[in-house]
Amino acid sequence: MRVFYHHLYEFKKGLRNLILHTTKSSNQELIERNLKKKNIPYIIYNVSRDKINVFFGNKHCIEVIKQIGKSNLKNYTDEEDFILGIMLGYDRVEQCKRYMKRKIDTGAVDELVG
């Protein structure tokens, strides 16, 4: 739970607009109680029988996650994966590289430009 509390701190300090926290399902009740108490929007998806993904942060970011509507990150399209990475604050250039690699791997693009 230390990582969750650190994520909470980062959000409250404005360091990140959206957090993705993966944890044990047994932590769900405590996490939900904390997020509700602090009035922080969130959505929780089951990853497996004993793991969950908790997205929390800015209400607009959570609405985008809800709009995508996919509980399994493996089902995200290349574009959805790119958007999620940018929203989570990952390095933009690295996200561009990841996006292009995914496109090349699926045959949607022949090769990298220049």
Side-chain angles (χ1 to χ4, degrees):
M1 287 296 292
R2 274 196 337 210
V3 174
F4 170 74
Y5 290 119
H6 182 74
H7 283 153
L8 204 53
Y9 171 83
E10 287 183 342
F11 173 69
K12 290 306 255 180
K13 290 295 182 182
L15 298 174
R16 300 211 264 162
N17 294 314
L18 180 67
I19 309 288
L20 168 56
H21 180 73
T22 302
T23 189
K24 299 174 189 174
S25 299
S26 59
N27 293 328
Q28 183 169 344
E29 187 178 318
L30 180 59
I31 287 172
E32 285 191 272
R33 191 170 40 241
N34 271 278
L35 294 173
K36 285 178 183 176
K37 181 179 177 182
K38 296 179 185 323
N39 200 29
I40 298 173
Y42 69 93
I43 187 165
I44 297 176
Y45 292 121
N46 291 317
V47 174
S48 66
R49 196 177 41 133
D50 56 349
K51 267 187 171 179
I52 57 172
N53 277 337
V54 183
F55 289 95
F56 68 92
N58 178 278
K59 67 180 180 179
H60 301 292
C61 295
I62 297 300
E63 285 303 318
V64 170
I65 300 302
K66 288 179 179 177
Q67 185 64 37
I68 290 172
K70 295 176 181 169
S71 60
N72 189 330
L73 298 176
K74 292 178 183 177
N75 294 332
Y76 273 40
T77 65
D78 298 334
E79 289 76 15
E80 291 164 343
D81 178 80
F82 179 80
I83 291 167
L84 177 61
I86 295 299
M87 289 173 45
L88 289 169
Y90 297 166
D91 180 272
R92 289 183 184 138
V93 173
E94 290 303 314
Q95 280 304 110
C96 290
K97 290 178 187 177
R98 176 180 166 86
Y99 174 77
M100 292 308 298
K101 182 179 180 333
R102 286 176 61 130
K103 286 298 193 184
I104 290 167
D105 289 351
T106 62
V109 173
D110 290 331
E111 60 185 71
L112 290 175
V113 178

